[in-house]
Amino acid sequence: MSSASDPEAARRLYFPELETGDGQTLHLPAGAAEIKLNADATRVVPQLLADYGYQRAFIFSSRTLNQKTDVIDRLAAALGPRLVGRSDRVGEHAPVKNVLAAIQEVEASDADVLVTVGGGSVMDFGKFVQLGITEGVRTHDDLRALRIDQEPKLDQRPRLRQITIPTTFSLSEWTAAGTPVDDETGKKIILRIPDGVGRAIVYDPSIVAQTPRHLALVTAVRGLDHAVNSVLSTRPNGLCTDLCLQAIRQFAAGIPLLAGGDVETAIPLLQRASFLAGMCQLSVPHGFSHFMVHVFAPWAHVGHSETACVMMLAQARWLRGHDDPRIEQVAAAMGRPGDPLDVIVRDLLEVCDLPTTVRELGVDPQRLDDVVPLAWAHPYVTYHNLRPIRTAADISTILASVAG
């Protein structure tokens, strides 16, 4: 689907045009009932199960968290006889074959709630299992039939839900959508999951302290990029702007602290920032840097959050000299009023020893011409940008600014 040739389809699937007088809407995340900040998951999760009436919990986690820390063992012990299964067989980007196996495993356990502990892949995995069980998915074709471009009629009352314990800061816990990798075709499947956000989201700083420093940093930058995109949206929402400016302040304060080793101070700041920015993700359209990650990362076989560092800088450079007061608001929220936003972003990345160029991502800049057609064909990369992206040559210019 091309952003240039099929704009109507892009509008229908993302943000339809508003009629005059429709006002502004804050779309609350689908399915979230409560948020626990600065929580101890071993105390909070058993209480949540009791409050919601769940008796049979199944834990999904990352392999690293399960095998190299005691986090999952301690949570399992806290759940006691209410734990009916646990698995770390998630895999990078949640391959469909793993999702199908997990659906059967969860159904065999007769679980009535999922508990997901991990980053974006783990949290998304829980959403896919929830969708698969609700819709009776058994095969690759069953799941493909649920792609959003098929506009499926989904059951709006899922058979089971999840409690989510994020260990990163890229805001995956706040989206009722995800993209498992179809291991038979190598392509991602875009899915929307009714009530896909966790019924409860539990922010436990002690668990996030186990996350490798580099992973925590790059996901925090990705969370910051989401917040910046919300403020600089082509269809801004006043409440989202206020919330995300506060999120930007906390991301901008917390990221250098985390890079400097002050984990105890940084993690609660970054978790609050994730909460504030995450609340707004589905209420305003985002631009180039958000969606270019989904094009560039799989094309280059590099991490999504590492890519977000570079694309955030590329977008800021594209906006240099563009006349909009919100750009200055973002600069001020990052603690440097009056400075160019791209310089602020570059300095933040360099202080944290994070990538600022595609070369630092391990990609030869000579290859950039190959990804431009993929970006141009994406329905959203060029669709909602504060400074319009009108041609494929514009995309080339943006990428050249971070070639290295």
Side-chain angles (χ1 to χ4, degrees):
M1 179 165 51
S2 168
S3 57
S5 63
D6 198 3
E8 291 303 322
R11 279 194 284 270
R12 185 176 71 251
L13 291 173
Y14 191 36
F15 274 83
E17 296 293 338
L18 296 175
E19 298 294 331
T20 301
D22 280 352
Q24 297 177 342
T25 302
L26 179 65
H27 294 282
L28 298 176
E34 59 185 299
I35 314 301
K36 301 290 189 179
L37 281 166
N38 201 30
D40 177 349
T42 61
R43 294 171 58 88
V44 167
V45 174
Q47 186 59 53
L48 287 169
L49 264 59
D51 292 346
Y52 296 148
Y54 295 132
Q55 298 294 326
R56 301 177 63 81
F58 195 107
I59 296 175
F60 286 110
S61 70
S62 69
R63 183 162 295 181
T64 298
L65 205 59
N66 186 40
Q67 298 184 9
K68 296 187 177 181
T69 76
D70 66 350
V71 167
I72 307 303
D73 287 339
R74 288 191 292 107
L75 182 58
L79 293 176
R82 286 174 291 184
L83 181 66
V84 297
R86 58 192 273 188
S87 174
D88 60 14
R89 295 182 295 278
V90 173
E92 188 175 8
H93 306 308
V96 169
K97 66 178 181 181
N98 291 12
V99 174
L100 297 177
I103 289 169
Q104 294 187 20
E105 191 174 5
V106 171
E107 287 186 325
S109 74
D110 197 28
D112 59 5
V113 66
L114 305 177
V115 179
T116 54
V117 192
S121 292
V122 175
M123 290 183 283
D124 285 352
F125 195 82
K127 301 169 196 174
F128 307 147
V129 172
Q130 173 180 312
L131 178 67
I133 288 176
T134 301
E135 298 295 335
V137 168
R138 291 291 179 271
T139 68
H140 284 71
D141 283 340
D142 289 342
L143 200 62
R144 291 172 190 139
L146 303 180
R147 299 193 321 251
I148 64 168
D149 62 320
Q150 301 296 310
E151 301 188 47
K153 304 297 182 184
L154 299 175
D155 190 335
Q156 299 301 305
R157 296 190 176 190
R159 284 177 50 193
L160 83 168
R161 299 290 309 283
Q162 63 174 314
I163 293 169
T164 303
I165 307 171
T167 62
T168 56
F169 306 108
S170 58
L171 314 188
S172 297
E173 68 271 25
W174 288 101
T175 57
T179 54
V181 173
D182 188 332
D183 46 280
E184 292 184 348
T185 67
K187 297 180 180 179
K188 288 194 170 186
I189 300 173
I190 304 176
L191 301 171
R192 286 183 181 161
I193 301 91
D195 283 349
V197 174
R199 188 169 181 182
I201 300 173
V202 179
Y203 289 107
D204 183 334
S206 69
I207 293 179
V208 181
Q210 304 286 337
T211 301
R213 184 74 50 83
H214 177 79
L215 177 60
L217 284 169
V218 294
T219 59
V221 170
R222 194 174 186 193
L224 171 62
D225 179 58
H226 289 330
V228 170
N229 268 285
S230 290
V231 174
L232 302 183
S233 177
T234 57
R235 204 177 300 164
N237 177 312
L239 179 56
C240 287
T241 297
D242 288 346
L243 291 172
C244 285
L245 284 172
Q246 181 60 20
I248 290 167
R249 293 183 189 100
Q250 296 190 348
F251 275 124
I255 290 170
L257 288 171
L258 183 62
D262 189 354
V263 174
E264 186 175 345
T265 305
I267 289 177
L269 272 174
L270 295 172
Q271 288 182 319
R272 289 197 295 273
S274 298
F275 163 66
L276 292 166
M279 284 287 291
C280 302
Q281 275 211 108
L282 301 180
S283 295
V284 292
H286 285 185
F288 173 86
S289 60
H290 182 133
F291 292 107
M292 191 63 194
V293 167
H294 296 285
V295 175
F296 191 95
W299 170 79
H301 303 290
V302 296
H304 282 63
S305 293
E306 285 83 357
T307 302
C309 297
V310 177
M311 295 306 150
M312 182 184 183
L313 178 57
Q315 178 169 278
R317 285 177 172 162
W318 179 247
L319 291 173
R320 170 75 82 97
H322 188 72
D323 185 18
D324 191 296
R326 288 174 291 160
I327 299 173
E328 170 57 26
Q329 285 182 295
V330 171
M334 293 186 71
R336 291 173 57 177
D339 285 354
L341 181 57
D342 61 298
V343 174
I344 299 171
V345 171
R346 181 205 64 200
D347 290 350
L348 177 65
L349 295 173
E350 289 183 347
V351 163
C352 298
D353 197 24
L354 298 178
T356 60
T357 67
V358 298
R359 189 182 296 279
E360 289 173 357
L361 292 173
V363 177
D364 184 347
Q366 298 297 320
R367 296 180 57 208
L368 287 176
D369 286 346
D370 295 340
V371 78
V372 171
L374 302 178
W376 180 249
H378 190 281
Y380 312 137
V381 166
T382 62
Y383 192 48
H384 282 287
N385 290 286
L386 198 58
R387 178 185 172 189
I389 298 172
R390 296 189 171 94
T391 67
D394 286 342
I395 297 174
S396 295
T397 298
I398 296 169
L399 294 177
S401 74
V402 290

